[in-house]
Amino acid sequence: MRIETLFTPSEITEPAVRDKTVAVIDVLRACSTIAFAMSRGCERIVPVASVEAAMNLASSLEKKVTLLGGEREGKRIDGFDLGNSPLEYTTEVVKGKAVVLATTNGTKAITMSQGAREILVASFVNMASVVERASALEGGPLTVVCAGEVGRFALEDAVCAGMLIERLGEKTAVELNDGAHAARCLYRQNKDSIPELLKECEHGRYLDSLGFAKDLDICSRVDSLSILPVVKEGRIVKPKRAKRK
Amino acid sequence: MRIETLFTPSEITEPAVRDKTVAVIDVLRACSTIAFAMSRGCERIVPVASVEAAMNLASSLEKKVTLLGGEREGKRIDGFDLGNSPLEYTTEVVKGKAVVLATTNGTKAITMSQGAREILVASFVNMASVVERASALEGGPLTVVCAGEVGRFALEDAVCAGMLIERLGEKTAVELNDGAHAARCLYRQNKDSIPELLKECEHGRYLDSLGFAKDLDICSRVDSLSILPVVKEGRIVKPKRAKRK
């Protein structure tokens, strides 16, 4: 199984995603938050790349069932219903609703991966579900896109990519590009200290300074959610529901 | 000492380089080749970002003392005097000459780092000289720019960045961004097998397939050259010569 890992969305090229399965990783916090929202009954999430796109889209959707979520510099956007903390996405708030989500890195990476055959939304919390789906590819190539932090390498995303690669390597022979090789190496060095990693990495320290220490703890809980959000036609849904329709 | 490491030129932002010391790393092969050329008496090297820029510049310079060097896809550019192999840059060929150099990654990363207070041209072969200069910064910030491979993460550049960070950390307290932390970790994992790394990384395998196996060996010789090419006003010179003028 050929696995490519890209550490920032700027490394995305059309051949890297076209007709491939892509796993997008943004540990802090978009992909973790999406997993939480879907596990609490959120109907669908529409990832958008900008605040303007979120406002425009939301104005065309039914207000009763649509929420606006997202952040800039880690903070809830003025006028939005929700920020980007998994703790905000409770059952009471999101069950049966659609969320239009605009985050700096994660939803941007997802929109830049359009053209893929399938996009899996991945983080530590739903890793087992991502591994299960990816290992069913039967050798088909996998591209792992790390969202990074404002166009830069983010350590927590690289280590999470490495966990995915390590687990796939336990099931099948893997052929790695330089990025995937490095990610696996970084995972092996950090695998016994994921909660500490999230506290010590640059973006974790920044979120802590904003008062989001609890988010770091929640996002570090490996395999805590049995859910696999996938992107279908620009919208994030649960794969089973998508099949039932 | 604050050290930031960027794994691709796309991570460069103006604040990351402005008025800072920047070390640009392209192990395979531009920065290694520049070190070889300067150590063999090349007078100066003008790094340019494109073949067109190289042609235009060379046409305005005196032909007797100016050579055109560079590659696309690892191969010498049609009509150029030299490719990008250190073996081509012999004393007979380059002594007393100026070289206009256009490579896919290294010279592009150098030109994108303009705005820095000083740019150091770094690779395994001249690491000791780079460490000596960087440690004289007395705590001033250092940005390490990896050239990468066509906009992607390149393992050999990351490991070389990690060597620079590790050696500086032995001399002074260092404060690292996520990229620098990852680079040091990757160096520690690969430090006893640099020659093997250059053979096994993606670009090393590609260069081997083109017949450049000897280049991989030469570029892996840590501290083999006592030379520090620096970029002054867009031209690469030896620091001592620049001072004497």
Side-chain angles (χ1 to χ4, degrees), chain A residues 10-11 152 155 178 189 202, chain B residues 10 152 155 178 189 202:
Chain A
S10 78
E11 295 187 33
R152 291 262 179 101
L155 189 56
D178 275 9
Q189 286 296 302
E202 283 185 289
Chain B
S10 78
R152 290 262 180 102
L155 188 57
D178 275 9
Q189 286 296 303
E202 284 185 289

Side-chain angles (χ1 to χ4, degrees), chain A residues 44 57-68 97-98 100:
Chain A
R44 63 178 177 280
L57 182 58
S59 69
S60 71
L61 298 172
E62 206 190 332
K63 280 193 181 153
K64 274 190 193 166
V65 293
T66 307
L67 296 168
L68 263 174
K97 299 281 177 70
V100 177

Side-chain angles (χ1 to χ4, degrees), chain A residues 8-240:
Chain A
T8 66
S10 78
E11 295 187 33
I12 296 173
T13 55
E14 209 235 335
V17 298
R18 190 182 53 215
D19 297 330
K20 287 183 180 160
T21 295
V22 173
V24 174
I25 292 178
D26 185 7
V27 171
L28 296 176
R29 295 168 290 175
C31 292
S32 304
T33 296
I34 290 166
F36 271 89
M38 299 306 285
S39 73
R40 284 156 182 171
C42 179
E43 199 64 32
R44 63 178 177 280
I45 295 174
V46 187
V48 292
S50 71
V51 176
E52 295 65 37
M55 305 279 251
N56 289 339
L57 182 58
S59 69
S60 71
L61 298 172
E62 206 190 332
K63 280 193 181 153
K64 274 190 193 166
V65 293
T66 307
L67 296 168
L68 263 174
E71 57 67 40
R72 281 298 177 264
E73 296 182 358
K75 297 168 225 165
R76 183 193 298 192
I77 298 160
D78 267 356
F80 275 39
D81 305 295
L82 296 158
N84 191 28
S85 166
L87 288 169
E88 297 175 76
Y89 290 72
T90 59
T91 307
E92 292 69 35
V93 172
V94 301
K95 192 172 168 66
K97 299 281 177 70
V99 176
V100 177
L101 189 65
T103 73
T104 311
N105 308 296
T107 61
K108 196 176 165 194
I110 291 170
T111 58
M112 288 176 70
S113 300
Q114 303 290 351
R117 190 169 59 78
E118 181 173 58
I119 301 173
L120 315 178
V121 178
S123 60
F124 285 120
V125 296
N126 70 330
M127 181 54 71
S129 303
V130 176
V131 171
E132 190 186 345
R133 181 74 159 213
S135 60
L137 294 173
E138 294 176 355
L142 175 70
T143 300
V144 184
V145 174
C146 296
E149 182 55 29
V150 199
R152 291 262 179 101
F153 174 90
L155 189 56
E156 71 280 13
D157 291 343
V159 169
C160 187
M163 177 185 275
L164 172 55
I165 295 157
E166 182 80 323
R167 290 194 182 178
L168 288 170
E170 288 162 2
K171 291 168 180 279
T172 185
V174 290
E175 183 201 328
L176 309 180
N177 78 338
D178 275 9
H181 185 89
R184 189 174 63 178
C185 180
L186 293 168
Y187 168 68
R188 288 176 178 173
Q189 286 296 302
N190 289 280
K191 66 180 177 177
D192 298 323
S193 54
I194 304 295
E196 292 76 10
L197 172 76
L198 294 205
K199 285 175 194 151
E200 287 160 18
C201 66
E202 283 185 289
H203 196 53
R205 293 200 306 265
Y206 176 68
L207 288 174
D208 187 25
S209 78
L210 293 182
F212 291 117
K214 276 191 186 169
D215 287 12
L216 306 182
D217 177 46
I218 286 176
C219 295
S220 73
R221 294 186 195 165
V222 177
D223 299 335
S224 55
L225 299 176
S226 294
I227 194 149
L228 181 63
V230 297
V231 186
K232 296 270 183 194
E233 293 164 9
R235 304 189 307 180
I236 300 169
V237 293
K238 291 186 210 173
K240 279 185 185 169

Side-chain angles (χ1 to χ4, degrees), chain B residues 113-240:
Chain B
S113 300
Q114 302 290 350
R117 191 170 59 79
E118 181 174 59
I119 301 173
L120 316 178
V121 179
S123 59
F124 286 119
V125 296
N126 71 330
M127 182 54 70
S129 303
V130 176
V131 171
E132 191 185 346
R133 181 72 158 214
S135 59
L137 294 174
E138 294 176 355
L142 175 70
T143 300
V144 184
V145 174
C146 295
E149 182 56 28
V150 198
R152 290 262 180 102
F153 174 90
L155 188 57
E156 70 280 13
D157 292 343
V159 170
C160 187
M163 177 184 276
L164 172 54
I165 294 157
E166 182 80 322
R167 289 194 182 180
L168 288 170
E170 288 162 2
K171 291 169 181 277
T172 185
V174 290
E175 183 203 325
L176 309 179
N177 78 339
D178 275 9
H181 185 89
R184 189 174 64 177
C185 180
L186 293 168
Y187 168 67
R188 287 177 178 171
Q189 286 296 303
N190 288 280
K191 65 180 178 178
D192 298 323
S193 53
I194 304 295
E196 292 77 9
L197 171 77
L198 294 205
K199 284 174 194 151
E200 287 160 18
C201 66
E202 284 185 289
H203 196 53
R205 293 200 305 266
Y206 176 69
L207 289 172
D208 187 26
S209 78
L210 294 182
F212 291 117
K214 275 191 187 169
D215 287 12
L216 305 183
D217 177 46
I218 285 176
C219 295
S220 74
R221 295 186 194 164
V222 177
D223 299 335
S224 56
L225 300 175
S226 295
I227 194 149
L228 181 63
V230 296
V231 186
K232 297 268 183 195
E233 293 164 9
R235 305 188 307 181
I236 301 170
V237 294
K238 292 186 210 174
K240 278 186 187 170

